[in-house]
Amino acid sequence: MTDAENKTINTESGIEIKRIYTEWKGIHPDAGNFPFTRGVHSTMYRDKPWTMRQYAGFSTAEESNKRYHYLLQKGTMGLSVAFDLPTQIGYDSTHAFAEGEVGKVGVAIDSLKDMETLFDGIELEKITTSMTINSTASILLAMYIALAKKQGADVKKISGTIQNDLLKEYAARGTYIYPPKASMRIITDIFEYCAAEVPKWNTISISGYHIREAGSTAVQELAFTLANGKAYVKAALEKGLDINVFGKRLSFFFNAHNNFFEEVAKFRAARRMWAKMMKDLGATDDKAMMLRFHTQTGGSTLTAKQPMNNISRVTIQALAAVLGGTQSLHTNGYDEALSLPTENAAQLALRTQQIIGFESGVTDTVDPLGGSYFVENLTDEMEAKAFDYIQKIDAKGGAVAATEEGYIQAEIANAAYAHLRAVEGGDKIIVGVNKFIVEENDTTELFRVDDSIRKIQTDKINKLKAERDNEKVLSLLQNIETAAKDGSNLMPYILNAVEHYATLGEIADAMRNVFGEYRA
């Protein structure tokens, strides 16, 4: 054996890659059949392509609305809304904590008025909307429902997704408000309400994306995401909800990184694992056992050095998501390590999906990499390693207990540290960063949001409060506090407050008064 033949190569998840794979002894049912390793639909993209979303939101609702119309004109098939940090953590733009952050990493939404502007000229019955919102998901969903009603839409027909995944916030991202048990209560209230009132809405997008962005490995992303999903299912079952009903409205959100085959194997393993887990939890309806997921290309893989290289990275990642069987996809702009994406970068990111979908031929058959000795063995190993993690989490009492203990956070931190050491030591090559470095005269066009947005939003809020029935709003906010105390489903009370133009911060504070705030 030569040195090259003896060489040990591992994925970042620690799975050893053999020199050559010569067999795989398993067999899969056809796509669309349990456990869905090959896909959740029998025809997959032969019937229709994945939903090509572009994540967008910045500045004011007026400015974001312009970007949405631009993306829809360019062929986007669904909108994906980014909210600014104050909106994500339940503060109005006027709050002292909002200073310097209004409209910066997403759009500022303070009331139903902003939501009306955000979707001006866009019929909610004709599009699907994904909203990356967690702690204030109940409030933003209520605003969306209220807007649909004002448009005259049948709310039983509107479709989309709220992220609504708080467990990963405690472990990886940090935009939480309430303690875990209160957050789980709100989440299951949303499950219950939507099952009856907004049946086509996906009530949670269980997110591995932010776990991966925090530095986890692919195996950890898979394991911790599915462990969180299991916790949500158990909470819903404890509330008396039917797994065969709410199980159909669960969706997932994964990251796509550069290790192409590991990513494809991760997506295939995820479907198979979730099907088995849901069956064990009591699901009998195939659709309640299907893992449907959205993918976003890896933000943390984008480099500020030689940013045009990011076009190649995003293409590889997007192709892995498609070959892994994603249901919808967002591709990052090449400039996002430097700023919010420009219109040109957003268009190029969308064109990347369209070229894969309509020119590459990878959509012509289901699961094109199925049967590859390498991919099948890697899928099996990803599953085995991820289930090892889930067993450890179960032994600690489940994902909530493991998060409260800090176990999941520590595992992610250790993986992130190991990756950083590998990059700094040159063992992990990042093109343009630690190898193939060139002197740059960077002329990349940047997109900036200035601080004047806070003044605009403040003026809007002041005008709103001068025109609305403030006595009625105070009464409705008190009703939210009462419902939070007595265990009533919160969603009808939140919706009523939203429709009378209570602000996001006021509603979040009403629940803060009862639930308190979480401190890590």
Side-chain angles (χ1 to χ4, degrees):
M1 297 284 284
T2 65
D3 289 343
E5 289 173 317
N6 278 321
K7 185 178 181 180
T8 299
I9 296 175
N10 296 308
T11 70
E12 288 195 24
S13 297
I15 296 172
E16 184 175 345
I17 304 300
K18 298 177 183 177
R19 182 184 64 85
I20 190 168
Y21 290 79
T22 57
E23 64 177 350
W24 179 69
K25 295 180 180 178
I27 187 167
H28 295 306
D30 192 8
N33 293 309
F34 182 90
F36 314 108
T37 310
R38 306 201 68 184
V40 292
H41 303 299
S42 62
T43 54
M44 288 301 287
Y45 312 131
R46 287 166 64 95
D47 180 35
K48 62 179 181 178
W50 61 93
T51 301
M52 298 181 187
R53 297 189 185 277
Q54 284 305 108
Y55 186 47
F58 59 90
S59 185
T60 61
E62 290 86 351
E63 289 302 312
S64 289
N65 176 261
K66 292 176 187 175
R67 177 65 67 90
Y68 294 160
H69 280 285
Y70 173 84
L71 290 169
L72 289 168
Q73 289 165 5
K74 298 296 180 183
T76 290
M77 298 152 63
L79 297 175
S80 188
V81 184
F83 298 97
D84 71 358
L85 285 174
T87 302
Q88 292 182 48
I89 53 178
Y91 294 121
D92 288 336
S93 297
T94 51
H95 197 284
F97 291 170
E99 187 172 355
E101 291 294 343
V102 177
K104 288 295 179 68
V105 299
V107 62
I109 299 293
D110 291 310
S111 74
L112 178 57
K113 287 280 188 188
D114 286 325
M115 189 67 85
E116 291 166 3
T117 302
L118 186 65
F119 289 99
D120 185 38
I122 300 170
E123 294 182 58
L124 301 192
E125 251 190 70
K126 294 185 177 179
I127 63 162
T128 63
T129 302
S130 174
M131 295 190 279
T132 303
I133 197 70
N134 297 283
S135 295
T136 53
S138 58
I139 306 169
L140 272 299
L141 175 58
M143 289 182 185
Y144 195 86
I145 294 168
L147 176 58
K149 289 166 70 176
K150 290 193 74 167
Q151 287 187 354
D154 181 351
V155 296
K156 292 190 182 296
K157 293 181 179 177
I158 63 170
S159 61
T161 304
I162 44 172
Q163 192 162 102
N164 197 28
D165 175 6
L166 266 298
L167 288 177
K168 66 93 174 53
E169 294 295 328
Y170 304 112
R173 190 161 175 261
T175 63
Y176 44 71
I177 302 175
Y178 316 110
K181 287 184 174 60
S183 293
M184 295 294 279
R185 145 84 185 281
I186 297 168
I187 288 166
T188 54
D189 279 359
I190 293 170
F191 286 1
E192 183 178 51
Y193 178 84
C194 288
E197 304 297 334
V198 199
K200 289 192 173 182
W201 195 267
N202 297 318
T203 50
I204 193 167
S205 177
I206 303 156
S207 176
Y209 185 85
H210 301 101
I211 290 170
R212 193 68 176 280
E213 290 293 284
S216 80
T217 66
V219 162
Q220 288 172 338
E221 178 193 359
L222 177 57
F224 299 157
T225 304
L226 298 191
N228 287 347
K230 185 176 182 179
Y232 294 128
V233 170
K234 285 189 167 184
L237 290 171
E238 287 169 8
K239 197 177 179 74
L241 303 183
D242 185 344
I243 193 170
N244 288 317
V245 175
F246 75 78
K248 297 174 186 177
R249 300 265 60 94
L250 304 177
S251 66
F252 289 79
F253 175 23
F254 286 114
N255 209 311
H257 271 223
N258 291 329
N259 193 314
F260 183 79
F261 291 106
E262 184 174 45
E263 295 301 301
V264 173
K266 177 186 75 181
F267 299 132
R268 298 173 87 249
R271 276 192 297 273
R272 189 162 73 204
M273 291 175 69
W274 186 245
K276 293 174 182 177
M277 291 167 71
M278 287 294 278
K279 188 173 184 178
D280 288 345
L281 288 164
T284 55
D285 189 318
D286 268 4
K287 289 187 177 178
M289 294 184 249
M290 289 180 181
L291 182 144
R292 297 163 298 117
F293 68 99
H294 169 72
T295 309
Q296 181 174 338
T297 55
S300 62
T301 69
L302 302 178
T303 63
K305 298 288 187 182
Q306 300 180 32
M308 298 301 285
N309 292 345
N310 294 326
I311 298 170
S312 298
R313 293 185 177 102
V314 168
T315 302
I316 290 168
Q317 294 163 7
L319 185 58
V322 171
L323 293 176
T326 193
Q327 276 60 70
S328 72
L329 177 62
H330 163 82
T331 32
N332 291 327
Y334 67 84
D335 54 359
E336 289 190 55
L338 299 162
S339 70
L340 292 171
T342 60
E343 284 193 352
N344 286 337
Q347 177 176 296
L348 179 58
L350 177 59
R351 293 288 182 259
T352 300
Q353 292 199 52
Q354 290 166 336
I355 290 167
I356 291 171
F358 302 111
E359 294 187 25
S360 71
V362 298
T363 62
D364 294 344
T365 190
V366 175
D367 190 26
L369 294 181
S372 156
Y373 294 146
F374 177 36
V375 171
E376 296 294 0
N377 278 282
L378 192 53
T379 301
D380 290 349
E381 291 201 58
M382 293 287 288
E383 178 181 8
K385 283 186 173 291
F387 267 135
D388 283 346
Y389 262 120
I390 290 172
Q391 287 172 1
K392 291 175 185 175
I393 291 168
D394 285 346
K396 294 178 181 295
V400 176
T403 299
E404 290 176 333
E405 179 186 317
Y407 169 73
I408 292 174
Q409 297 93 310
E411 289 295 304
I412 295 170
N414 289 337
Y417 180 68
H419 175 79
L420 181 62
R421 288 292 301 270
V423 171
E424 290 181 342
D427 296 322
K428 174 73 177 175
I429 294 171
I430 308 295
V431 174
V433 175
N434 64 357
K435 196 162 186 176
F436 312 114
I437 301 167
V438 297
E439 294 243 352
E440 292 184 86
N441 181 18
D442 193 1
T443 58
T444 305
E445 177 189 2
L446 300 181
F447 183 92
R448 297 294 187 201
V449 176
D450 64 51
D451 289 328
S452 66
I453 304 306
R454 190 179 191 222
K455 173 68 165 59
I456 294 170
Q457 289 300 115
T458 298
D459 290 345
K460 286 183 186 177
I461 291 172
N462 290 339
K463 184 173 186 290
L464 174 77
K465 290 182 177 180
E467 294 174 347
R468 72 185 186 182
D469 183 342
N470 286 301
E471 190 173 324
K472 178 68 172 177
V473 168
L474 285 173
S475 172
L476 296 174
L477 292 172
Q478 184 58 54
N479 290 345
I480 292 172
E481 288 194 33
T482 301
K485 290 173 184 174
D486 69 21
S488 299
N489 190 301
L490 284 159
M491 281 302 297
Y493 299 96
I494 294 171
L495 179 60
N496 203 359
V498 158
E499 289 178 324
H500 286 81
Y501 294 98
T503 68
L504 174 134
E506 289 171 332
I507 296 170
D509 282 346
M511 290 187 279
R512 276 189 183 95
N513 292 340
V514 178
F515 298 136
E517 290 190 276
Y518 177 72
R519 293 284 182 266

